[in-house]
Amino acid sequence: MTEEEPLHFCITNTMTDVRSCTVKDEHQIVCDGYEYRRNPQHGGEEATGRECRGCLPRIAQVGLLCYSCYDKVLHAYSAWTEDRRRILASIDRAVQRDNGGVRTAQEGYVPLPGTMLALDEVASYLRTDTGTFTEWLSKPEGAADSLRFARAVTAAQRTHELEEKAHRVQRIRCPKCQQQSLVWKPTMKPDDHVTITCQNSSCDAELDQPTFELEESLQTHTNRVNVLPENQEGPLYLVRKKSA
């Protein structure tokens, strides 16, 4: 008979900087019914005062990772392509959308050090990957770094987007129907143009980027009043008044 391999638990149960992977509603023999959390500062455990919802560690099924952790690492590993790394390393800035609305390509960016720090952090966790992907996940240090790598990749993708996505414009009203229903849509091809469209079904106005920027400037510095001239039929005319 061949000797069976020892049973291992997911590496998260020995890490202080990530939450342990446990089985819901399954408990260790020593569980007293209350939840405990590891303190990253001293590595010990401290009571939270909450009911324990499951403290039995998940079994490691791929190297020293459970399937859930392995899936996170696999997705991050696939997403962190050479093209993405090269683009982040070669550009001065990465896209960051302003919370108040739309900004032009010259204004809507974060400083270069942010991208370089993200690249350095991700690369630091890959230094333990000296063999195959499976071998990396089978060593305690490598398995732990693989999870930190996945977390860093997710943060880098969220913080330093390489392209903007369609999103609702905040605080700027449609110049035609006066509703806050504008949606900014990025270019899909190199020769395409940015469009800002009204989602009001009774309006369907469409603006290009220069027109939107002019409208944004006007609405930011003026008050708008709808005026229908006497004996005038048809759509309302828009009159702008300077703020007091």
Side-chain angles (χ1 to χ4, degrees):
M1 295 179 61
T2 58
E3 185 178 350
E4 294 185 359
E5 294 185 3
L7 191 66
H8 295 288
F9 295 115
C10 180
I11 194 66
T12 56
N13 289 278
T14 65
M15 299 173 64
T16 59
D17 56 337
V18 298
R19 184 173 182 176
S20 299
C21 290
T22 56
V23 182
K24 184 179 179 180
D25 296 329
E26 296 291 337
H27 305 270
Q28 300 183 66
I29 296 176
V30 295
C31 178
D32 62 2
Y34 292 96
E35 181 186 62
Y36 290 82
R37 297 284 183 179
R38 286 193 300 272
N39 188 316
Q41 296 182 346
H42 55 68
E45 291 189 333
E46 53 187 25
T48 65
R50 294 189 292 266
E51 178 184 356
C52 179
R53 298 185 179 276
C55 58
L56 184 67
R58 286 186 183 176
I59 301 296
Q61 294 159 307
V62 181
L64 295 176
L65 302 181
C66 65
Y67 275 137
S68 178
C69 287
Y70 171 70
D71 188 60
K72 294 176 184 177
V73 174
L74 186 62
H75 276 77
Y77 208 81
S78 300
W80 198 245
T81 61
E82 180 62 33
D83 286 343
R84 174 172 285 273
R85 294 194 295 272
R86 185 173 62 252
I87 292 173
L88 279 178
S90 63
I91 62 178
D92 288 340
R93 315 165 197 278
V95 174
Q96 177 172 295
R97 198 162 61 240
D98 181 84
N99 290 332
V102 176
R103 292 294 180 265
T104 62
Q106 290 75 24
E107 295 177 327
Y109 289 99
V110 294
L112 170 64
T115 60
M116 297 307 298
L117 287 173
L119 286 168
D120 288 344
E121 181 184 10
V122 173
S124 70
Y125 299 131
L126 288 171
R127 295 189 183 112
T128 53
D129 182 13
T130 57
T132 64
F133 186 67
T134 302
E135 182 180 346
W136 187 38
L137 304 183
S138 299
K139 297 180 179 180
E141 185 180 12
D145 273 351
S146 74
L147 290 173
R148 298 183 181 110
F149 160 80
R151 182 174 57 189
V153 168
T154 300
Q157 290 178 313
R158 181 175 59 250
T159 306
H160 307 295
E161 294 181 350
L162 297 184
E163 64 280 327
E164 285 200 76
K165 301 176 182 178
H167 57 272
R168 179 68 65 91
V169 176
Q170 302 295 325
R171 296 199 299 270
I172 305 301
R173 296 179 179 276
C174 171
K176 184 177 179 180
C177 69
Q178 291 297 290
Q179 300 297 313
Q180 288 186 326
S181 51
L182 293 177
V183 173
W184 188 90
K185 298 180 179 180
T187 58
M188 302 303 292
K189 299 178 181 178
D191 56 345
D192 283 348
H193 299 285
V194 168
T195 58
I196 298 88
T197 60
C198 180
Q199 298 302 291
N200 182 353
S201 59
S202 62
C203 177
D204 296 328
E206 182 172 306
L207 295 74
D208 57 20
Q209 183 73 20
T211 303
F212 172 81
E213 291 176 7
L214 175 61
E215 188 65 33
E216 181 185 31
S217 177
L218 289 169
Q219 291 193 33
T220 300
H221 298 94
T222 63
N223 291 327
R224 303 169 60 87
V225 181
N226 290 331
V227 177
L228 186 62
E230 187 177 357
N231 300 324
Q232 177 70 46
E233 297 181 356
L236 297 179
Y237 286 82
L238 300 177
V239 178
R240 297 180 174 85
K241 291 185 176 181
K242 292 184 179 180
S243 301

